[in-house]
């Protein structure tokens, strides 16, 4: 005998909005960006992976909640906010990209050498993680504007289910990326592989920084 729909933990009418939120959030966060590359690198080095993933996911959840609640319309009334975030984010990406290019120039023989080097510590990792999240104008576009715009089509409990679905996508993605990164360890354990990875990351950070100020 099929279960009584009224006895299910989540009412069936809310499953659709929840799945819509999950699909919307996951599709937006899937694109390669500075935040994702940082999480990937932490996962490869196996440093503070849980806390980095948690900070990214919780930050996204807070921004998604604000977007679903309609904060995007409020943010549009502060014209200087986008400019400040753009230049602040570009400066941070340029500096971090320079650090990675410097590491590539010095050279590190694979993951073991990189992970065995000096660890800047949990505090430094979390500060960098927060900067990648909160100084990135694209994060606000994705969460406050795009996720919020789709969520505006729902009302009441359906909007709540949509927001929960979108926030859940962030947790699934970041923890999957952080802990799944170790699957690439055999590849990056090869000589000079980590050096090439740092070079690619550095160039990507500079490209993203240029994209912010030239758009």
């Amino acid at each position: 005998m099929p279960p009584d729909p009224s006895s299910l933990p989540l009412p069936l009418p809310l499953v659709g909005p929840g799945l819509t939120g999950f699909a919307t959030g996951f599709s937006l966060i899937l694109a390669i960006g500075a935040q994702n590359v940082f999480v990937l690198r932490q996962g490869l080095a196996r440093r503070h992976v849980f806390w980095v993933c948690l900070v990214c996911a919780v930050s996204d959840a807070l921004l998604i909640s604000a977007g679903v609640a309609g904060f995007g319309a409020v943010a549009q009334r502060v014209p200087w906010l986008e400019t400040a975030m753009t230049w602040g984010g570009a400066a941070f990406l340029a500096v971090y990209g320079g650090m990675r290019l410097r590491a590539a120039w010095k050279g590190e023989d694979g993951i073991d050498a990189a992970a065995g080097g000096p660890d800047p510590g949990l505090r430094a990792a979390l500060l960098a993680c927060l900067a990648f999240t909160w100084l990135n104008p694209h994060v606000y576009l994705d969460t406050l504007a795009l996720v919020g715009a789709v969520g505006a089509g729902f009302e009441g409990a359906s909007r709540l289910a949509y927001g929960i679905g979108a926030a859940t996508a962030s947790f699934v993605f970041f923890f999957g990326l952080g802990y799944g990164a170790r699957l690439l360890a055999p590849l990056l354990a090869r000589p000079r592989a980590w050096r090439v990875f740092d070079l690619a990351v550095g160039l990507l950070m500079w490209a993203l920084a240029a994209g912010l100020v030239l758009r």
Side-chain angles (χ1 to χ4, degrees):
M1 178 181 297
D4 181 1
S6 63
S7 66
L8 296 176
L10 181 65
L12 289 179
L14 300 184
V15 172
L19 292 177
T20 300
F22 186 92
T24 302
F26 200 87
S27 62
L28 290 175
I29 203 173
L30 190 61
I32 296 177
Q35 185 187 42
N36 296 350
V37 173
F38 178 73
V39 174
L40 177 63
R41 192 177 193 281
Q42 292 296 117
L44 288 169
R46 301 187 182 184
R47 286 178 171 170
H48 319 298
V49 179
F50 174 80
W51 294 109
V52 166
C53 293
L54 182 64
V55 167
C56 286
V58 171
S59 296
D60 257 24
L62 291 175
L63 288 168
I64 287 170
S65 299
V68 173
F71 183 77
V74 178
Q76 292 178 353
R77 300 180 182 179
V78 186
W80 56 265
L81 180 61
E82 182 179 358
T83 300
M85 296 303 300
T86 295
W87 285 100
F92 176 77
L93 291 175
V95 171
Y96 186 80
M99 292 171 57
R100 298 274 51 87
L101 291 175
R102 180 174 179 269
W105 177 263
K106 292 173 59 178
E108 292 174 336
D109 294 325
I111 290 178
D112 292 337
D119 184 355
L122 176 61
R123 182 173 180 271
L126 294 185
L127 287 176
C129 184
L130 289 170
F132 277 120
T133 302
W134 295 91
L135 291 180
N136 183 2
H138 292 299
V139 171
Y140 294 90
L141 174 63
D142 291 345
T143 56
L144 295 183
L146 298 180
V147 174
V150 177
F154 299 98
E155 296 292 340
S158 294
R159 179 178 291 190
L160 176 61
Y162 169 84
I164 292 175
T168 301
S170 293
F171 278 86
V172 171
F173 177 84
F174 283 118
F175 278 93
L177 180 64
Y179 285 100
R182 64 188 60 186
L183 297 176
L184 298 176
L187 174 63
L188 292 179
R190 298 173 182 175
R192 306 296 183 182
W194 189 270
R195 188 175 185 178
V196 174
F197 179 77
D198 269 339
L199 174 63
V201 170
L203 293 176
L204 176 62
M205 295 300 107
W206 278 9
L208 291 172
L212 286 178
V213 299
L214 296 178
R215 64 188 176 92

